[in-house]
Structure formats: structure tokens, C-alpha cells
Amino acid sequence: AVKITSDITAYDYYMQGLEYLGKPRSQENYDAAIKLMSTALVHDKKFAGASVGICRAYRGKFELSKVTSLLQRAEEHCLDALALDDSDAHAHIALGMIYRDKGDYKKAKKTLDIASKLDRNNADLAMVQASVYQATNKLDLAESTFLDAIANNPRNVLIAGEYASFLIETGRIKDAIGILENSLAILPDNEPQLSNLGVAYFYLGKYRQSADAFEKAVNIVPTGTGFANSGSVYYFAGEYEKAIDMYRKAIRLSPTDYRLYVYLADSLRMLPGRKPEALDEYRKAVKLGSEHLGINENNAHVYQHLAIAYLYLGNHEQGKACIEKALSLRPEDMDILYMGLRFWVGLGDYETA
């Protein structure tokens, strides 16, 4: 449990910071949370809860922007919090998320085990534990963890949304749509769940419903991923100029997100005379993706995007190594399976595809 400060001013700034952490994901909301939590620490430098809040905000900024230095700053603040109070379950959970993001699943599990002893029924803990199981291909354990958490927190739409994301990634699209629609009936302005609903409809080929969900999501919170999702709908509809516009908007919001440069390059490649631009974007994707592997060398999603970039840059052997690595890390991930199919078809190896 969080040890609340005895300084009333510090507590007031902390509560204001928590309010911003509970708002829709955006760089502005996370920056406001950091400012308020930092002010709380000015009034009580031993207030561990405020350091946890800063940690969570920096990790949120990383999730939106993919700027790797933000994850390091998040880790530093979590470690500061634990140095002040090692019984703070929220600090252990936040640190476990960071270790998961870095691909250090052994450390993540150890940290989350400590959190479990401190606050066994914490819903956030269950979601992070499930994601670590999924990342290590323990899918049965991941699912049972989600289902237990849902049983213990039947009205928690965030858990339901994370479970739906798990179902999408493992190919159970229609089940995911049912869960997301029920959750959105309770909390209609939930941007991550609208985005997931758009992804689910996209996989089913229901592009109009997909576009509607993505549009609602970016109207709530404009994010790089949100604009990229809209771009993908235009790409598959053959409207490449509109796709390019969406991907450029995404890059303005998340300039270090390696995925966006692959998507932009794919669209440029489809237009006459734009191949040189496409190759430049693929090279940027390789540079940024390689930097992300410096944080987490087992990030399957980085490898899948690098594979496509290498394919069109003509480095086929490197591309093969990347797609094989991605598939070995996450063999049942729908997105990676699709990228694998696309890679082998692009290479002309229809037998492997």
C-alpha cells in the first residue's frame, strides 16, 4: 500500500497528479502528472507514491512515443520510490511493467511476485502478470490470469479490454469484439478499446466499422498509433495518398516509432516514382528498430517490422533472420503471422508462405 504523506500540500499535488494519470493517454496529461508529482516531492522528498506516479507517467510517455530514454527515466523513478518504501506494491508493479518492456522477463516475474505478496488482488498486477505470460508464450497461464482477474473485478472494463487485446493477438477476433462492445457500452470514450475494436474489425475485413472505431479513438486522443491505424485502412482500400497523410501525422506525434516508417514506406512504394522516398523511410525504420532492440532484444514486433524493411531494401538474408526470430518469439501472434506471410510472398517463396 502507498504510505500517504503527512504534508497536506504534497498530498494535494499528488492527488492532482493522479487525476491526470487517470485521464485519456496523451503527452500533455502525462507531462501535467509529472509536474504535479514533482511538486509533491518538493514538499515531501520522501513521498514514495509521488515517485511512483512520475514513473508511471514517463512509462506512459514511452508507450505513446517509443522514445527509449523515457523508459530509462521511468525505471529510475520507480527505483527511487522503492528506495523510499520497498513495501509499495504499485512501485513493484510499475517496475515489473518496465522490465517486461525491456524483455527482462525473469526480473519482471521476480518483481511482480513481490507485488503479489503485498497486494494479491490488485487488478493492475494481474494485467501485467498476464502480459508477461503472453510474452513468454505461456498462453494458458495468461488466459487463466485474465479470467481470474475478470471474475474478481467484473466491472473493471480495463481488464476486459486487455483480455480482448490478448484474444485479438491470438486469433479469437469475434470473442474479442463481443467483450469490447460490452466494455464500450459502459465506458464509451475509452480510446485504447476503440482502437482495439478497430483492429478486430480490420482483421475481419470490415473496413467501414474499423475506420469508424479508429476515427472515434483519434477524436478522443490523437496518438501516433491512432493515426497509423486510420492509415492502414486507407492503405488496404488502395487510397495511398490518404494513407501517407495519416502516417505522416502519426510520425509527427511519435517520431521515434519504427513501425510508422515501415507503414509510410509501404504506401510510398505503391505510387509511381516514389520508390526512392520509400527506401529512405525503410532505412529510418531499420535505424530506429535497431535502437529499440538495444532496450529489448527479444521484442518480436521489432523483428517483424525490420523483416519487411530489409525485404524491400534488398537485404533478404537479414530479413529472413528477422522474421524467423519474430515467429520463434511469438509463434501464435496474428500480426506476426500476417507479416510472415507477407514477407515470404514478397520474397517469392510461396511454399514457405
Side-chain angles (χ1 to χ4, degrees):
V2 177
K3 290 182 180 177
I4 300 300
T5 176
S6 59
D7 187 302
I8 190 64
T9 305
Y11 181 72
D12 182 53
Y13 279 113
Y14 168 73
M15 292 303 295
Q16 291 181 58
L18 278 186
E19 184 178 347
Y20 276 97
L21 286 176
K23 289 184 177 184
R25 303 179 305 162
S26 72
Q27 296 290 353
E28 293 77 15
N29 286 338
Y30 288 131
D31 285 339
I34 289 168
K35 182 178 180 180
L36 289 161
M37 295 290 185
S38 297
T39 305
L41 284 172
V42 169
H43 290 275
D44 181 356
K45 64 182 180 181
K46 294 184 178 181
F47 188 6
S51 290
V52 177
I54 297 171
C55 167
R56 289 174 55 199
Y58 274 119
R59 195 201 155 270
K61 286 173 68 66
F62 164 76
E63 193 170 41
L64 288 177
S65 67
K66 302 298 188 248
V67 175
T68 56
S69 60
L70 294 171
L71 196 62
Q72 183 60 39
R73 295 189 75 174
E75 182 177 359
E76 289 167 0
H77 284 284
C78 268
L79 292 172
D80 286 346
L82 288 170
L84 292 167
D85 179 11
D86 63 3
S87 68
D88 190 325
H90 298 288
H92 287 288
I93 293 167
L95 188 59
M97 293 175 73
I98 292 165
Y99 288 145
R100 177 205 61 194
D101 293 341
K102 295 174 74 172
D104 194 338
Y105 302 121
K106 187 175 180 180
K107 271 189 177 181
K109 184 180 183 304
K110 182 178 179 181
T111 304
L112 295 171
D113 284 346
I114 296 170
S116 183
K117 292 175 182 176
L118 294 167
D119 190 0
R120 188 174 191 81
N121 295 319
N122 187 295
D124 290 336
L125 169 64
M127 288 189 283
V128 183
Q129 286 176 318
S131 69
V132 172
Y133 289 135
Q134 183 182 1
T136 52
N137 291 313
K138 297 175 181 177
L139 300 184
D140 289 342
L141 269 176
E143 181 152 22
S144 64
T145 302
F146 275 127
L147 292 175
D148 286 346
I150 290 169
N152 291 328
N153 304 272
R155 295 190 60 79
N156 188 319
V157 296
L158 299 181
I159 299 175
E162 289 297 311
Y163 179 49
S165 180
F166 167 81
L167 293 174
I168 292 169
E169 291 178 16
T170 53
R172 292 151 65 185
I173 310 298
K174 291 182 180 179
D175 291 342
I177 288 174
I179 291 170
L180 289 167
E181 288 179 339
N182 288 337
S183 296
L184 287 164
I186 298 169
L187 194 62
D189 290 337
N190 188 306
E191 173 264 326
Q193 295 197 23
L194 282 166
S195 293
N196 279 333
L197 184 62
V199 170
Y201 279 133
F202 183 83
Y203 278 131
L204 291 181
K206 297 183 177 182
Y207 298 128
R208 174 40 53 199
Q209 292 99 315
S210 176
D212 288 345
F214 289 147
E215 184 177 353
K216 288 177 183 176
V218 296
N219 284 339
I220 295 167
V221 184
T223 66
T225 299
F227 282 116
N229 286 335
S230 295
S232 294
V233 174
Y234 286 126
Y235 174 85
F236 281 93
E239 298 185 52
Y240 302 118
E241 291 287 2
K242 288 183 178 179
I244 288 167
D245 182 54
M246 289 294 108
Y247 293 139
R248 292 200 189 282
K249 286 181 178 179
I251 287 169
R252 282 197 288 273
L253 289 171
S254 303
T256 63
D257 188 337
Y258 57 91
R259 302 171 301 170
L260 304 179
Y261 296 90
V262 174
Y263 305 151
L264 175 58
D266 285 343
S267 295
L268 288 165
R269 187 173 49 81
M270 302 302 290
L271 296 174
R274 307 292 290 272
K275 184 178 177 180
E277 291 176 71
L279 294 178
D280 285 342
E281 302 303 334
Y282 284 129
R283 291 186 190 101
K284 291 175 187 175
V286 168
K287 180 178 181 296
L288 291 167
S290 299
E291 289 174 2
H292 276 268
L293 289 178
I295 293 179
N296 179 1
E297 64 180 11
N298 291 314
N299 189 325
H301 295 293
V302 175
Y303 286 111
Q304 76 180 71
H305 288 87
L306 285 178
I308 298 300
Y310 282 129
L311 170 67
Y312 292 110
L313 288 170
N315 192 339
H316 296 164
E317 290 305 313
Q318 192 72 11
K320 285 180 185 178
C322 285
I323 201 63
E324 288 169 356
K325 179 73 170 178
L327 288 164
S328 70
L329 289 167
R330 300 285 287 272
E332 298 188 48
D333 187 295
M334 281 282 291
D335 197 38
I336 293 173
L337 289 169
Y338 162 73
M339 284 290 204
L341 176 65
R342 188 181 154 199
F343 176 85
W344 295 115
V345 169
L347 201 59
D349 188 345
Y350 298 102
E351 184 177 344
T352 302

